[in-house]
Amino acid sequence: MQAARDHGGGLDAARTRWGGTRADWLDLSTGINPEPYPLPDIPQTAWAELPDAFAQDDLIRAARRFWQIPKDVDVLPAPGASPLIAGLPALAPKGRVCIPWPTYNEHEAAFRIHGFDVLHGAGATGTPHVLVNPNNPDGRVWTRADLPDALPFTVIDESFGDVAPEASLRGLAAEPGVLVLTSFGKFWGLAGLRLGFAIGRPEMLAPLRAAIGPWAVSGPAMAVGTAALHDLRWAKTTRERLAADAARLDALMAPHGKLVGGTTLFRTWDVGNAEAFHAKLAEARIWTRIFPYSKSWVRLGLPPSDGWTRLEAALC
């Protein structure tokens, strides 16, 4: 059996070691918005019937409007970004792929399963590339100048991109060989909804569309996603709140280490001894994220509005 890959979450493991119920824990190990988009009324038909073409068309139109996607670029809704990531290696020319490190580890895992050699850095023109923009966990923002002149196969994962739309590379999806991913779970705080999108030229998305098959996205997910993508006011207000909360978190953490980077949904700090810092907060039943490749980095997501006092007390 393949070992589970390292991710945030994992409260069951935390409870096994430190005790308590799930309700006792403050989970800061993920980069998910702690104040999710309020669910709209979902019609009974969304639960009882297979999703129809009109509902999907409404969702795609809302996505085009929100992300300003031109008509000649295709949009593929999917049940989260994960199945899209798993299917990407089948589209790339076999051989090497460049995935600058450290970053979200599911991309490397998917390519290795398909027999690729993975290079942890930028490669020569002609080599497939995968970039996470902004990057997880250090928040690096990529620009077109960071990419090779030619882009024969390039994946840009913007799962955290909605916190900083001005830094998006979504416009490159109009170029041959480029595919952009977005995730609905992070910015909207609805990870359990399982909704993601691939954006690219029709010939790029056709194999992915065929692979995930019909009715991949549930009716309730379509209904919620369409409503949320139309709610531009909520998006604007949320970006402002996230920026203020990230600054507040930075102020709390400043005495404990050096900021590595992050987004307004998560902040990564060099605290010297990551395991000790992680354990200290776990004793207070606050769960953070540490990494197998760093002995000093700790990543914290934002607390919900009623969790700041607990975090402040635990950091004293």
Side-chain angles (χ1 to χ4, degrees), residues 298-309:
V298 174
R299 196 189 73 183
L300 286 79
L302 300 178
S305 58
D306 60 355
W308 287 98
T309 301

Side-chain angles (χ1 to χ4, degrees), residues 152-292:
F153 184 86
T154 300
V155 176
I156 303 170
D157 183 341
E158 296 200 341
S159 291
F160 287 98
D162 289 310
V163 299
E166 69 282 357
S168 176
L169 294 175
R170 208 162 34 248
L172 296 180
E175 298 188 23
V178 178
L179 192 148
V180 176
L181 302 181
T182 67
S183 171
F184 210 78
K186 308 297 191 301
F187 177 66
W188 279 274
L190 296 173
L193 193 68
R194 307 312 303 141
L195 180 61
F197 297 84
I199 303 167
R201 291 168 66 100
E203 65 270 20
M204 282 289 288
L205 296 194
L208 285 176
R209 179 172 279 109
I212 67 173
W215 312 303
V217 178
S218 71
M222 287 186 184
V224 174
T226 300
L229 288 167
H230 278 301
D231 199 339
L232 302 183
R233 179 178 297 180
W234 184 90
K236 179 178 184 296
T237 301
T238 295
R239 290 189 185 104
E240 294 169 351
R241 176 182 56 78
L242 292 175
D245 284 354
R248 181 178 179 181
L249 181 58
D250 285 349
L252 284 178
M253 283 293 298
H256 303 280
K258 180 181 178 180
L259 180 65
V260 174
T263 72
T264 56
L265 282 169
F266 63 83
R267 314 298 281 170
T268 299
W269 286 78
D270 187 325
V271 296
N273 187 332
E275 182 64 41
F277 185 90
H278 177 70
K280 173 186 175 182
L281 291 188
E283 292 287 349
R285 292 180 180 164
I286 298 175
W287 196 230
T288 58
R289 176 80 185 277
I290 55 177
F291 302 93

